[in-house]
Amino acid sequence: MCGIVGYIGHREAYPIVIKGLQRLEYRGYDSAGVMIYDGNDIVVSKTKGKVVDLEQKSAAINMSGTIGIGHTRWATHGVPNDVNSHPHVSNSGDLVIIHNGIIENYAPLKEELIKRGYVFHSDTDTEVLINLIEEVQKKEKLKLGKAVQVALNQVVGAYAIAVFDKKNPNEIVAARLGSPLAIGIGEGEYFIASDASPFIEYTSNAVYLEDGEMANIRLHKQMKVRKIKDDSLVDPYIQELKMNLEQIEKGGYDHFMLKEIYEQPSVIKDTYRGRLLANEGIIRMAGIEDNLEKFLNADRIIIVACGTSWHAGLVAEYIFEEFTRVPVEVEYASEFRYRNPIIGPKDVVIAISQSGETADTMAAIKLAKEKGAFVFGVCNVVGSSISRETHAGAYTHAGPEIGVASTKAFTTQITVLTMIALRLAKAKGTLSNTDYHMYLQELELIPEKVKEALGTNDIAKEIAATFIDAPNCLYLGRGYNFPVALEGALKLKEISYIHAEGYPAAEMKHGPIALIDEQMPVVVIAPKKGHYDKIVSNIQEIKSRSGRIIAVVTKGDTEVRKLADFVIEIPETSDALSPLLTTIPLQLLSYHIAVMRECNVDQPRNLAKSVTVE
């Protein structure tokens, strides 16, 4: 959540900052602001609303200057309004800050600063932080970098910050703890951002600050990185960015979400490229090979994740237990750390996160490591916090996912987790050679079958037109496709704001059946493999109560077709791999319903792409 952009160099800063904020809109926000240093003074413009509103407000202001910082805010302390928007300025008017995260002890700090004569204009914890930095700077007569370091050692919470001092206008100080921050290094210029997307066209060299690090970024000088705790110097690792500009543009699609749905055939292939050699019967993943004994000796596997990643973990639970015969538990990361879980050295914890920055998942990882477990990360963003915090891991290679509602993240996570399960099953001998080779061959065919499943777009659009005014929707699935029912319901909730629930189909009789009438659309995932006869019985129960049935079936199905009001066909595949196909029409259905309801598909209300606070 929230987005940070900063620039210091020889170009006009305002266009870079504004474009950068637009690139970070996917993170979710409710207000935006920018500060430009014009050579003599700071100029601040900020407003409730979107970046386009900020542009309109700034149009009448001279925003010329080569140093600037900008921010998109997702409200935590204080309602979304102009005053609470970032940047925030200190009482003297000299210091300016933008901040992602939460300062948990802001209240006692604020009380103490008020006693010392400070006046506060907003309800934010961020305004407390900038005035704390100013107080430290004045009281101890420190330069900005040292004042920031001293002040941050007094705060409790999470942050990514960029601070500017107009008395020393050739420097920006950046710091992070629990919230991502990247610094792009150009020729005589630096860029600061929550991720690399705002500066990808300017430089391919970036430093990702580690937790507890701060950077003094000075014009015409080498950047210095230090530890916040003890001020010791750090030798930063400069990464070469693999992302390109085309990946973060819409490419002719109306929305990023639709583009990302249609990217799934290629990104699934990218996920297994070089790892899956079906004809040779080989799965090769460095993170697994290097730690194979840890997995083979595990008493159990614990999967921790949130949201869509949690649903991918549920699919993996079925796959791991079926293939490897190792017990698996899937936990909400947000609950895991608070229930005093029993974890030991023979447990393997798999943490799943698209962004690699999810605060609850990060906290779960730290707890698992403290208890002695081996922690393996599955994430999409190279250099993210989870990729650095875990003992080992695997990237999904899905490319940037800009739409807030995850689509390609889900299918690529399942792809990675399936490959891990197959590799372990091969090593343990828990899967016959025949089945092992069948799954490898079938997984290799999945991208083409996903492409075929995308051909259901027109029927999904037709169904969407029928149900755009439905107040509720029920999703049912069994076995491997129960988590797909949960994911389908989540997608509809997230982007169309229609209340939807996912259930195991057999659980319908234990409550939800009371809701079914002629007004209730029921999406039933009913591929031919698996518990087909049972789910046909569930469909008959819905039909007898006048429910309106949307069925996702295997191509050529006749039995469900007789009962359903609408049928969406997908190609045939094995039961274990069917979630990679059954989820596709559900993504398309949610997308078209949201578009027809005139919802903001890529930036749904109240949601953030990367949830970096608990």
Side-chain angles (χ1 to χ4, degrees), residues 84-388:
N84 288 330
S85 303
H86 297 208
H88 285 286
V89 181
S90 67
N91 271 196
S92 70
D94 290 337
L95 305 187
V96 189
I97 191 172
I98 50 178
H99 166 223
N100 293 350
I102 287 180
I103 305 302
E104 293 173 10
N105 63 334
Y106 84 100
L109 291 171
K110 184 174 184 177
E111 193 175 316
E112 180 60 31
L113 288 167
I114 289 171
K115 288 178 185 175
R116 298 184 188 188
Y118 285 83
V119 176
F120 292 89
H121 307 283
S122 75
D123 302 314
T124 67
D125 52 339
T126 304
E127 192 183 8
V128 175
L129 179 55
I130 192 61
N131 281 307
L132 175 64
I133 293 168
E134 177 160 285
E135 173 65 9
V136 168
Q137 190 184 40
K138 285 195 311 186
K139 188 178 178 183
E140 302 188 27
K141 296 181 173 56
L142 300 174
K143 291 181 179 178
L144 179 64
K146 185 62 178 176
V148 169
Q149 186 246 333
V150 171
L152 290 179
N153 276 303
Q154 297 178 35
V155 304
V156 177
Y159 51 79
I161 60 170
V163 187
F164 175 78
D165 182 354
K166 74 176 184 182
K167 300 190 303 299
N168 183 21
N170 292 320
E171 178 182 45
I172 295 175
V173 174
R176 72 155 286 183
L177 181 67
S179 194
L181 205 59
I183 301 168
I185 303 169
E187 290 292 329
E189 59 186 349
Y190 291 96
F191 306 82
I192 305 163
S194 297
D195 65 39
S197 61
F199 55 77
I200 190 65
E201 67 259 54
Y202 301 107
T203 180
S204 58
N205 296 319
V207 168
Y208 290 86
L209 289 185
E210 300 281 355
D211 257 1
E213 289 182 354
M214 60 181 287
N216 289 65
I217 304 162
R218 297 172 295 177
L219 209 54
H220 310 306
K221 291 186 179 180
Q222 189 173 353
M223 176 179 69
K224 286 192 176 178
V225 178
R226 298 178 182 273
K227 292 282 188 186
I228 294 167
K229 189 172 183 180
D230 59 13
D231 206 29
S232 59
L233 275 171
V234 174
D235 185 16
Y237 171 63
I238 300 174
Q239 289 195 26
E240 185 178 351
L241 300 172
K242 303 298 183 186
M243 189 191 309
N244 60 57
L245 192 57
E246 188 178 278
Q247 288 179 303
I248 56 173
E249 301 293 347
K250 288 181 186 172
Y253 289 91
D254 289 339
H255 298 92
F256 282 111
M257 182 181 179
L258 187 62
K259 172 178 177 271
E260 288 153 9
I261 289 171
Y262 273 87
E263 283 177 342
Q264 287 173 109
S266 62
V267 296
I268 290 171
K269 191 174 288 187
D270 287 342
T271 297
Y272 70 59
R273 191 189 310 278
R275 294 165 162 173
L276 172 67
L277 304 172
N279 291 334
E280 299 172 42
I282 292 172
I283 289 176
R284 186 187 300 126
M285 302 174 72
I288 299 299
E289 298 305 321
D290 294 346
N291 301 280
L292 192 58
E293 291 304 312
K294 293 278 188 186
F295 281 93
L296 295 180
N297 295 325
D299 286 339
R300 62 175 175 166
I301 293 171
I302 304 168
I303 296 174
V304 293
C306 301
T308 289
S309 296
W310 185 74
H311 296 154
L314 289 176
V315 175
E317 178 182 21
Y318 284 88
I319 292 171
F320 271 88
E321 291 196 342
E322 177 72 24
F323 290 4
T324 72
R325 308 310 298 153
V326 176
V328 177
E329 297 174 18
V330 185
E331 301 264 7
Y332 282 115
S334 53
E335 288 295 315
F336 182 72
R337 67 178 298 209
Y338 290 112
R339 65 171 188 80
N340 194 20
I342 300 167
I343 314 167
K346 293 198 76 177
D347 290 326
V348 168
V349 174
I350 298 177
I352 313 172
S353 167
Q354 188 284 137
S355 67
E357 302 293 347
T358 310
D360 290 312
T361 308
M362 281 290 294
I365 288 168
K366 289 175 182 175
L367 175 62
K369 287 173 71 176
E370 286 168 11
K371 301 280 188 178
F374 174 74
V375 185
F376 188 90
V378 174
C379 64
N380 187 35
V381 180
V382 176
S384 58
S385 296
I386 285 175
S387 71
R388 297 195 299 270

Side-chain angles (χ1 to χ4, degrees), residues 72-83:
T72 51
R73 174 178 185 253
W74 194 86
T76 52
H77 294 80
V79 299
N81 61 25
D82 292 5
V83 174

Side-chain angles (χ1 to χ4, degrees), residues 34 54 81 91 463 474 480 488 559 580:
V34 62
L54 175 64
N81 61 25
N91 271 196
I463 296 168
L474 189 62
Y480 291 99
E559 199 168 344
L580 292 165

Side-chain angles (χ1 to χ4, degrees), residues 29-88:
Y29 69 105
D30 42 48
S31 58
V34 62
M35 181 283 296
I36 300 295
Y37 179 71
D38 66 6
N40 295 303
D41 206 350
I42 58 171
V43 181
V44 175
S45 178
K46 55 184 186 174
T47 183
K48 176 186 175 182
K50 298 297 184 182
V51 175
V52 66
D53 301 310
L54 175 64
E55 285 187 278
Q56 290 172 359
K57 186 170 184 177
S58 305
I61 306 170
N62 180 8
M63 303 299 283
S64 180
T66 58
I67 298 174
I69 55 177
H71 189 263
T72 51
R73 174 178 185 253
W74 194 86
T76 52
H77 294 80
V79 299
N81 61 25
D82 292 5
V83 174
N84 288 330
S85 303
H86 297 208
H88 285 286

